[in-house]
Amino acid sequence: MKPADVGIAVMVAVIWGLAFVASRIALDEFSPELMTTLRFAIAALPCLFLRKPDVSWPLLIAISSTLFLGQFLAQAFAIAHGVPVGLSSVVVQSQALFTIGFAAVIFGEMPTRMQATGVAIAAIGLLMICGTVGYDFSVGSFAILMICPISFAIGNLLLRRAHGVPMFDLFAWLCLSAAIPLALLTLISNGPQPTWQALTHMSLTGFICVVCLGGISTSIAYWLWGRLLRDYPAAQVVPFALLVPFVGSAASSIVFGEKFGPLRLAGMITVVGGIAVMLLSKRPKILPKVA
């Protein structure tokens, strides 16, 4: 990767790490559905000035439903139901495992031996984390959280099919495609009156959090991430998410005083270590196409 693109990948990872803290603060005022709706409604504002990119509606909806709606709604529900922010940042970024695995099956991008080793190490770390479930949050909450990396990985690969379109335009319309069903879900699950009450009594802190989540973490960061995925193989880009757990966990410890038990901490370090091994590996081999 070019040095400038490496810098962009690092910046995106830092933004996403801090976004976990912003999400937790916003969830003190908003329901998971409403917070996620506001996030994508703000990020979709550029659609007022941008034409829909030359991408079919089925593909647009498929990418939006996985990369955005599925990932972030599950993340919001998990954090709202007690999953610690630092732990969430680690588990969500295990999407690197799923992305490389799905890329191998679908595109023939076979991982190198080092990448396979990294996948195995990170998988062991996830199993260690699973051993801590049930103490301070439920198995159901953790199961919901695991939807995030899987949705993230599928969205990463679906994004490849959006060839030759402006990334900023695409991501604005992806946000709009997520915001509309989320708004309907919010009105149905929360009710119109509670939703209006939450909006009209929004604090300055809540407002700043959702603006940062929508405008910076979603609109700008995902646009940059999409450009990287368009220009480089998935196995080269996604390991930069290694930084997200460090930023998220450190920020959570400072802001919320989050602490981790020995087994959970060991599991988190093992997951991050596995992703680090992937980051140090070479490009994957591409299987020859069979005529």
Side-chain angles (χ1 to χ4, degrees):
M1 294 177 67
K2 297 177 182 178
D5 289 332
V6 171
I8 289 173
V10 171
M11 181 180 67
V12 169
V14 171
I15 290 172
W16 282 345
L18 296 176
F20 281 89
V21 173
S23 295
R24 179 63 190 86
I25 294 172
L27 285 168
D28 288 337
E29 295 188 32
F30 309 111
S31 69
E33 303 96 325
L34 180 55
M35 186 197 74
T36 313
T37 299
L38 292 173
R39 177 179 197 151
F40 291 118
I42 292 169
L45 289 177
C47 290
L48 296 172
F49 313 100
L50 301 172
R51 290 178 60 252
K52 174 183 170 293
D54 189 19
V55 175
S56 67
W57 278 108
L59 178 58
L60 194 73
I61 293 172
I63 298 173
S64 176
S65 298
T66 52
L67 191 63
F68 283 165
L69 193 155
Q71 179 194 169
F72 286 102
L73 185 60
Q75 182 187 126
F77 267 107
I79 294 176
H81 287 81
V83 179
V85 171
L87 178 61
S88 299
S89 67
V90 174
V91 173
V92 170
Q93 295 313 317
S94 68
Q95 53 88 13
L97 285 69
F98 296 101
T99 302
I100 291 176
F102 293 157
V105 174
I106 298 172
F107 298 114
E109 292 184 3
M110 298 305 296
T112 63
R113 183 175 298 179
M114 184 173 286
Q115 286 175 340
T117 301
V119 169
I121 292 173
I124 292 172
L126 283 176
L127 290 176
M128 295 169 68
I129 292 173
C130 287
T132 70
V133 173
Y135 292 97
D136 51 350
F137 59 92
S138 68
V139 174
S141 298
F142 187 73
I144 292 174
L145 181 64
M146 285 305 301
I147 295 173
C148 299
I150 296 173
S151 293
F152 197 161
I154 295 172
N156 279 338
L157 299 180
L158 284 173
L159 191 62
R160 290 180 163 203
R161 298 179 59 187
H163 299 295
V165 298
M167 282 293 110
F168 187 80
D169 299 26
L170 174 62
F171 274 87
W173 280 82
L174 288 174
C175 291
L176 180 63
S177 299
I180 294 173
L182 280 168
L184 294 175
L185 175 63
T186 300
L187 291 174
I188 292 172
S189 60
N190 295 354
Q193 186 61 33
T195 299
W196 177 251
Q197 185 81 2
L199 291 174
T200 55
H201 290 77
M202 183 188 311
S203 71
L204 179 60
T205 299
F207 175 76
I208 292 173
C209 284
V210 294
V211 168
C212 289
L213 287 171
I216 299 176
S217 177
T218 304
S219 184
I220 295 175
Y222 268 90
W223 164 53
L224 295 172
W225 186 255
R227 288 182 58 191
L228 294 174
L229 284 173
R230 180 193 62 188
D231 297 336
Y232 299 97
Q236 268 191 295
V237 177
V238 295
F240 278 96
L242 166 71
L243 293 176
V244 176
F246 285 112
V247 177
S249 298
S252 179
S253 296
I254 294 171
V255 177
F256 306 118
E258 183 177 345
K259 297 180 180 179
F260 310 98
L263 180 59
R264 182 174 297 173
L265 181 60
M268 292 169 64
I269 293 174
T270 303
V271 170
V272 174
I275 300 175
V277 172
M278 296 179 225
L279 176 61
L280 296 174
S281 62
K282 298 180 181 179
R283 291 182 60 173
K285 299 176 181 179
I286 308 297
L287 288 180
K289 294 183 178 180
V290 179

